[in-house]
């Protein structure tokens, strides 16, 4: 009996082991197909259609960012720019981390024996040369330049910092061969104190490794696949977003100083009540010790002419309130005769003996922002958004900061009568945010989550961190009226519900008095697992282009029906974030034909009819054309030289439709806000009195 029982026990163990092995093999196969079998087209099509439900219980909330004030010179601070010509080396695509292993950061890039390319910073590196391999490079590149730090900065009580406006995407920076800082997200700033790393009054070297590869857990997502070519296996970056994947040092690199004890961070909240303005401020003091109580803050509010409007001496220097009688509120463009009014708020950190410890000035627009289930309100007035989806994109420079281009873009925005745009599909430069403040252009501020899929916990962690850094950066801008948490995520998937529920709940907890929105493109509103968590419903729809192409008689009713469906489902304000049609500059057709300038104009006009019917219902609050200007995309047979949906060309010249849109936007401002009409809005045709 004992032998038989042992035999049965052994067979049971063997069966259990075989079953376990089979389960593990099956799990490996399914896991491999879900996570790794990416299509060569976009990187998100799975061989097996297996639904994956994730658990987010272990996802950590991001640590709040403190610091990162935009560098501004003052009585106590100096700023030196490192913008200019740098040296670049393209890494080995088949061995992206070769430079780390061989410690390129510890010596001059010229000593590596690799080709040195002189490149401007800021700029994307892709289009700077005629080298196709550099344009399409996947993996790492290395930047280097030499610089001096003034001897005067090497004094007791002075701290030296380096700040990067944006690098795409992941990067590591070294100063004189010593690691200084690492950052993972594109489009956002980061900084580090480098006093211990630099040689004052001498030459220093900065080395930066930039990695443009995207994965399932990066923001945005992508996947690198190996494909066969005539020259062997090559790495190919796949993604589903419809814009070129530019990379490099895209915004300014700056050295700056602060005193030992300094104003580290500032948070502002503003309100307007009739003629009274209010600013609630909160300060963080760097290098503050608990026993340091012999300090106070001197606060001044200056108007546009630099006159002191009000001032305050506050011994509770961590927070306070300013009241501004007869305030000049911040208003959107064409909503008031003096839009975009900006004050300057000056903070002076003082020692008890009257010695100035630190000084920082911050532009501020004073306005109230509220919303309900029908609209958004600026200073108590409902707003109607007339705008665009845009891109940071230009010839040669790519996504690199270009103040000349910013000047042109904002001139065109005002010429066409727009009052808003969405930062599709990532945060724009800090300089552009200041332009928006000053011109009265409202911003839907969007994070870089575009076409989000495969809702893994690690992705949620990064998504939360990205939004936290974005909100921290832009919280003090009067122009920012909403946060967009994603563009066209795959929200028809069941796992999207829990993902976006947790993401929205977290983001709302740090939203700094702004509503949450996003752009959905599901074919039926009821299928969207995200929109129930939003404050403002936004959707993208291309009737007569991706849907029923060529049929301009199939626009009005579908648009009305879809907007009504969103409203009935959620009882929230509704915005159309994208609609449009590709248009080849100079191509004309009568009768209208797809891709012609006449077709784009007719398409816009039909949408205007639908929007006017929706406006009467009061809860429809905005129309955004896609796109402001033509922009570059990856190479595909559906894109001739890029995406051509712009009403302006890539070099910012108007297509035929821009004139119609200008008439639309200015007439809306005239009807809704009693704005004055430009004298050249309509060309003279005839005097019917003659």
């Amino acid at each position: 009996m004992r032998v038989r029982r042992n035999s049965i026990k052994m067979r049971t163990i063997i069966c259990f082991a075989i079953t376990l092995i089979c389960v593990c093999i099956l799990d490996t196969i399914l896991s491999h197909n879900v996570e790794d079998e990416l299509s060569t087209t976009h990187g998100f099509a799975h061989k097996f259609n297996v639904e994956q439900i994730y658990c987010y219980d272990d996802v950590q909330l991001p640590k709040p960012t403190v610091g990162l004030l935009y560098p501004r010179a003052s009585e106590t601070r100096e700023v030196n720019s490192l913008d200019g010509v740098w040296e670049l080396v393209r890494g080995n695509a088949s061995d992206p981390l070769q430079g780390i292993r061989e410690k390129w950061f510890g010596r001059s890039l010229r000593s590596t024996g690799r080709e040195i390319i002189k490149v401007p910073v800021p700029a994307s590196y892709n289009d700077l040369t005629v080298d196709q391999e550099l344009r399409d490079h996947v993996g790492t590149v290395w930047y280097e330049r030499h610089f001096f730090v003034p001897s005067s900065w090497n004094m007791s009580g002075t701290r030296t910092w380096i700040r990067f406006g944006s690098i795409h995407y992941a990067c590591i920076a070294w100063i004189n061969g010593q690691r200084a800082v690492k950052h993972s997200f594109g489009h956002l700033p980061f900084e580090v104190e480098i006093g211990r790393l630099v040689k004052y009054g001498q030459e220093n070297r900065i080395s930066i490794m930039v990695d443009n590869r995207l994965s399932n857990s990066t923001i945005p997502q992508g996947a690198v696949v190996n494909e066969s070519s005539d020259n062997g296996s090559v790495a190919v970056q796949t993604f589903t977003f419809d814009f070129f994947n530019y990379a490099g040092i895209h915004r300014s690199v700056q050295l700056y100083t602060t005193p030992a004890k300094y104003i580290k961070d500032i948070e502002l909240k503003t309100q307007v009540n009739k003629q009274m303005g209010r600013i609630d401020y909160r300060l963080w003091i760097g290098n503050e010790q608990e026993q340091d109580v012999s300090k106070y803050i001197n606060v001044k509010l200056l108007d546009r002419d630099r006159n002191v409007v009000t001032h305050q001496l506050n011994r509770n220097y961590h927070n306070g309130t300013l009241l501004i009688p007869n305030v000049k509120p911040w208003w959107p463009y064409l909503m008031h005769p003096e839009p975009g009014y900006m004050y300057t708020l000056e903070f002076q950190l003082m020692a008890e003996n009257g010695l100035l410890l630190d000084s920082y000035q911050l532009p501020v627009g004073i306005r109230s922002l509220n919303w309900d289930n029908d609209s958004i309100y600026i200073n108590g007035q409902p707003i109607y958004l007339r705008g665009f989806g845009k891109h940071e994109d230009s010839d040669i420079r790519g996504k690199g900061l270009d103040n000349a281009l910013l000047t042109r873009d904002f001139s065109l925005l005002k010429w066409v009568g727009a009052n808003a745009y969405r930062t599709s599909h990532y945060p724009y430069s800090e300089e552009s945010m200041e332009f928006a403040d000053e011109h009265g252009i409202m911003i839907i501020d969007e994070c870089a989550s575009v076409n989000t899929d495969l809702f893994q916990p690690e992705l949620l962690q990064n998504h939360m961190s990205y939004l936290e850094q974005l909100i921290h950066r832009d919280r003090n801008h009067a122009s920012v009226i909403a946060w967009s948490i994603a563009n066209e995520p795959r929200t028809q998937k069941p796992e999207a519900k829990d993902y976006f529920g947790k993401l929205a709940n977290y983001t709302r907890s740090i939203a700094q008095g702004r509503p949450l929105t996003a752009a959905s493109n599901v074919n039926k509103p009821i299928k969207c697992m995200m929109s129930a968590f939003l404050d403002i419903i936004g959707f993208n729809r291309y009737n007569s282009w991706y849907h029923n192409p060529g049929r301009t008689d199939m626009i009005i009713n579908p648009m009305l029906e879809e907007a009504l469906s969103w409203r009935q489902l959620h009882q929230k304000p509704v915005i159309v974030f994208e609609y449009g049609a590709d248009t080849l500059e100079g191509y004309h057709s009568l009768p209208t034909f797809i891709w012609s300038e006449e077709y784009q104009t007719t398409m816009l006009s039909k949408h205007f009819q639908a929007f006017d019917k929706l406006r009467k219902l009061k809860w429809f609050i905005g129309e955004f054309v896609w796109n402001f200007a033509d922009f570059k995309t990856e190479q595909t047979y559906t894109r001739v030289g890029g995406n051509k949906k712009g009403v302006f060309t890539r070099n910012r010249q108007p297509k035929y439709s821009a004139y119609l849109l200008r008439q639309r936007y200015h007439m809306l401002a005239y009807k809704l806000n009693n704005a004055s009409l430009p004298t050249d809005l309509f060309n003279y045709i005839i005097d019917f009195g003659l």
Side-chain angles (χ1 to χ4, degrees), residues 234 258 284 305:
V234 295
T258 65
W284 286 258
D305 298 322

Side-chain angles (χ1 to χ4, degrees), residues 208-242:
I208 306 175
M209 185 190 74
V210 180
D211 191 344
N212 70 350
R213 293 175 296 171
L214 301 173
S215 71
N216 289 341
S217 60
T218 59
I219 307 290
Q221 287 178 308
V224 176
V225 297
N226 290 316
E227 296 188 354
S228 298
S229 75
D230 295 341
N231 300 313
S233 179
V234 295
V236 177
Q237 177 72 70
T238 64
F239 47 82
T240 60
F241 51 82
D242 187 31

Side-chain angles (χ1 to χ4, degrees), residues 120-135:
V121 169
S124 304
Y125 61 72
N126 308 79
D127 292 343
L128 296 175
T129 74
V130 296
D131 184 354
Q132 180 176 337
E133 290 189 358
L134 181 62
R135 182 196 67 194

Side-chain angles (χ1 to χ4, degrees), residues 358-555:
D358 193 19
S359 178
Y360 189 85
Q361 293 187 351
L362 183 67
V364 56
I366 303 173
R367 55 102 176 108
S368 292
L369 173 66
N370 306 96
W371 68 95
D372 57 23
N373 289 338
D374 292 324
S375 191
I376 302 175
Y377 305 87
I378 298 287
N379 304 326
Q381 298 297 314
I383 60 174
Y384 187 78
L385 300 166
R386 316 177 300 272
F388 296 95
K390 287 181 89 271
H391 268 298
E392 286 188 324
D393 172 275
S394 65
D395 196 20
I396 300 177
R397 190 179 291 270
K399 291 193 181 303
L401 173 65
D402 187 338
N403 286 316
L405 188 69
L406 279 177
T407 301
R408 175 72 176 183
D409 280 2
F410 277 87
S411 179
L412 289 173
L413 285 166
K414 296 176 78 171
W415 176 84
V416 83
N419 65 1
Y421 65 80
R422 179 170 59 120
T423 66
S424 44
H425 298 297
Y426 39 80
Y428 291 0
S429 70
E430 292 163 284
E431 291 78 6
S432 73
M433 305 304 291
E434 292 200 356
F435 267 72
D437 287 340
E438 293 163 1
H439 289 279
I441 302 299
M442 294 177 283
I443 301 297
I444 306 292
D445 210 353
E446 187 162 276
C447 79
S449 173
V450 52
N451 297 9
T452 303
D453 201 346
L454 301 176
F455 301 98
Q456 301 168 345
E458 185 180 358
L459 178 70
L460 178 60
Q461 182 80 65
N462 288 334
H463 204 158
M464 287 179 172
S465 295
Y466 200 108
L467 279 161
E468 190 280 329
Q469 291 183 34
L470 167 62
I471 291 171
H472 176 268
R473 190 197 76 165
D474 290 346
R475 62 189 176 183
N476 293 331
H477 288 286
S479 56
V480 176
I481 64 166
W483 310 112
S484 175
I485 63 174
N487 177 74
E488 297 187 357
R490 307 311 188 224
T491 55
Q492 72 278 12
K493 291 189 170 185
E495 58 266 36
K497 182 176 181 180
D498 196 22
Y499 181 95
F500 281 103
K502 292 186 180 300
L503 180 69
N505 287 339
Y506 167 71
T507 308
R508 187 169 284 109
S509 72
I510 61 168
Q512 296 288 324
R514 275 94 165 181
L516 305 187
T517 188
S520 177
N521 71 334
V522 295
N523 57 6
K524 292 182 179 180
I526 199 169
K527 291 184 178 181
C528 182
M529 299 289 106
M530 169 187 66
S531 294
F533 304 109
L534 305 176
D535 302 304
I536 310 294
I537 303 300
F539 70 97
N540 303 341
R541 187 62 64 223
Y542 291 89
N543 294 316
S544 82
W545 190 253
Y546 298 125
H547 299 268
N548 305 311
R551 299 302 301 263
T552 56
D553 60 336
M554 297 182 180
I555 293 175

